């Protein structure tokens, strides 16, 4: 960002730890990112309530826009991966994850907000833990302890190899899955925010801090890159929501597989 001394300072990780603005010193302390998360939750609730209040057999143009993302999650994620029977069982979870992630991601490019609710690890970690718990629950409910046995001791492997294979399977199945879900989402949104801030603060610096001394040309370049990356960040916001919901469905499907 541009500094008061006329110099330029790049964005830092400190931007993801803004000061407390409400209820400081209490367990309910809220900073700007937490307020953004609460605002997104309110908008999503209103979107679902208002958008589904007057649905008709023959949808209007407005209701079609509301139904499209729901149909996409149902048909292209839940039913595609889990089949219709199991897809219906876990559709509420997968739909909630998809809408929550895309809603929190999009705030990274909304003027006045300018940071994703998923750019701090707490929320992605919570969603990953929920997906992990449901993954284990689904496997245990269908296959009992046989689910754990098949996951840790794959059939058809020489017993001596279990000394090497079982720790690897435990790490990859029960530890790395929630970790990778968390880090993939968090790092994408964190890096995206830093790049956007870098482009637009550089634009401000070249246009207004340096004055008309020939550096405005560079400001035009950073402005173009910033606008292009804003569009790319919108794509990433939707893509990460899709990936998170899809992997949640895939993990559940693996726990329900017949070989367990």
């Amino acid at each position: 960002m541009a500094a008061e001394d006329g110099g330029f300072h790049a964005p830092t990780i400190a931007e993801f730890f803004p000061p407390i603005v409400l209820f400081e010193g209490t367990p309910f302390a809220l900073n700007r990112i937490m307020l953004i998360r609460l605002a997104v939750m309110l908008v999503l609730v209103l979107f679902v309530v208002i958008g589904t209040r007057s649905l008709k057999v023959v949808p209007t143009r407005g209701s079609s826009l509301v139904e499209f993302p729901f149909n996409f999650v149902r048909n292209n994620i839940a039913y595609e991966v889990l089949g219709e029977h199991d897809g219906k069982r876990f559709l509420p979870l997968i739909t909630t994850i998809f809408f929550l992630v895309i809603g929190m991601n999009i705030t990274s490019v909304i003027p006045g907000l300018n940071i994703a609710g998923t750019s701090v690890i707490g929320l992605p970690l919570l969603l990953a833990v929920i997906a992990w718990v449901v993954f284990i629950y689904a496997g245990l409910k269908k296959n009992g302890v046989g689910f754990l046995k098949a996951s840790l001791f794959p059939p058809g492997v020489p017993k001596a190899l279990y000394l090497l294979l079982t720790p690897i399977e435990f790490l990859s199945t029960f530890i790395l899955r929630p970790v990778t879900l968390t880090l993939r989402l968090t790092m994408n949104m964190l890096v995206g925010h830093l790049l956007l801030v870098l482009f637009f603060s550089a634009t401000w610096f070249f246009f207004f801090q340096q004055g008309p001394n020939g550096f405005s040309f560079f400001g035009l370049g950073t402005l173009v890159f910033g606008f292009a990356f804003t569009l790319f960040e919108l794509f990433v916001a939707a893509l990460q929501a899709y990936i998170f919901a899809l992997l949640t469905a895939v993990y559940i499907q693996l726990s329900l597989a017949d070989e367990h």
Side-chain angles (χ1 to χ4, degrees):
M1 60 187 67
E4 293 181 358
D5 59 5
F8 177 81
H9 296 276
T12 67
I13 297 298
E15 296 197 21
F16 300 95
F17 303 95
I20 301 298
V21 294
L22 288 174
F23 311 123
E24 186 172 3
T26 72
F28 306 101
L30 299 174
N31 59 21
R32 188 167 72 91
I33 295 178
M34 290 301 299
L35 290 176
I36 288 173
R37 289 172 174 174
L38 292 175
V40 171
M41 290 288 294
L42 178 61
V43 170
L44 288 175
V45 170
L46 291 175
F47 171 76
V48 172
V49 172
I50 296 175
T52 60
R53 187 169 51 186
S54 57
L55 294 180
K56 299 178 181 179
V57 176
V58 179
T60 63
R61 183 176 302 178
S63 61
S64 295
L65 292 176
V66 174
E67 292 179 27
F68 172 75
F70 287 96
N71 290 335
F72 174 80
V73 175
R74 181 189 64 191
N75 298 327
N76 295 84
I77 299 179
Y79 288 4
E80 182 76 19
V81 175
L82 294 167
E84 186 171 350
H85 178 264
D86 289 324
K88 287 181 179 179
R89 289 176 56 200
F90 296 100
L91 182 60
L93 170 68
I94 297 170
T95 302
T96 300
I97 286 177
F98 177 83
F99 278 95
L100 191 58
V101 173
I102 196 172
M104 295 293 176
N105 287 354
I106 286 177
T107 59
S108 63
V109 298
I110 296 178
L113 301 180
N114 302 114
I115 194 168
T118 47
S119 59
V120 177
I121 200 169
L123 181 59
L125 178 60
L126 175 62
L127 295 177
V129 168
I130 292 173
W132 178 78
V133 169
V134 173
F135 154 71
I136 294 177
Y137 161 80
L140 289 176
K141 184 175 182 180
K142 180 175 182 180
N143 302 295
V145 294
F147 160 68
L148 298 177
K149 181 180 179 181
S151 298
L152 299 176
F153 302 94
V157 177
K159 292 184 178 181
L161 289 180
Y162 285 139
L163 294 174
L164 176 64
L165 187 60
T166 297
I168 294 175
E169 288 294 323
F170 174 77
L171 183 65
S172 63
T173 303
F174 298 101
I175 303 299
L176 290 183
R177 283 181 180 176
V179 170
T180 54
L181 274 178
T182 302
L183 293 182
R184 181 185 294 107
L185 177 57
T186 304
M187 291 299 103
N188 271 279
M189 304 318 299
L190 183 149
V191 171
H193 171 77
L194 291 177
L195 287 174
L196 283 175
V197 173
L198 180 63
F199 285 133
F200 287 117
S201 59
T203 300
W204 177 271
F205 173 75
F206 287 126
F207 278 163
F208 301 106
Q209 295 289 327
Q210 289 296 300
N213 55 6
F215 284 97
S216 296
F217 173 79
F218 295 102
L220 182 61
T222 56
L223 178 62
V224 171
F225 276 110
F227 178 74
F229 197 81
T230 298
L231 298 179
F232 180 71
E233 188 71 357
L234 281 172
F235 169 73
V236 171
L239 179 63
Q240 288 302 314
Y242 172 74
I243 290 175
F244 204 111
L246 179 66
L247 288 178
T248 299
V250 168
Y251 294 157
I252 294 173
Q253 191 277 331
L254 290 174
S255 70
L256 297 173
D258 291 335
E259 56 263 26
H260 286 127

